[in-house]
Amino acid sequence: MKVQVNNKEVEMTPASTLTQLAAQLGLPVQGIAIAVNNKMIPRTEWEKFSLQENDNLVIIKAACGG
């Protein structure tokens, strides 16, 4: 199945979870947030949150500075 991640198409196994997506993309364990279809998904729900075909994800990485 295909999902959009920060406006780029990513191929995923059907019924993949956010945890699996984070691993596939090599995302850091800390300092990121993921929104699916404009709804923030708490990290505690990533393991059970199944992605659907054509979901639109935004991944936000924390940055230090000011």
Side-chain angles (χ1 to χ4, degrees):
M1 79 175 173
K2 295 177 183 174
V3 296
Q4 294 287 321
V5 178
N6 292 355
N7 296 318
K8 293 181 185 170
E9 194 171 87
V10 175
E11 187 74 34
M12 298 293 303
T13 309
S16 291
T17 65
L18 283 180
T19 301
Q20 291 168 320
L21 173 76
Q24 179 176 323
L25 297 177
L27 298 175
V29 178
Q30 298 283 325
I32 62 166
I34 301 178
V36 179
N37 301 322
N38 295 317
K39 181 177 184 249
M40 233 16 158
I41 308 300
R43 185 178 292 269
T44 55
E45 294 180 19
W46 286 11
E47 186 63 46
K48 59 186 175 187
F49 189 94
S50 294
L51 295 169
Q52 305 297 317
E53 181 81 28
N54 298 317
D55 274 349
N56 187 15
L57 292 85
V58 176
I59 298 174
I60 302 164
K61 296 180 183 177
C64 296

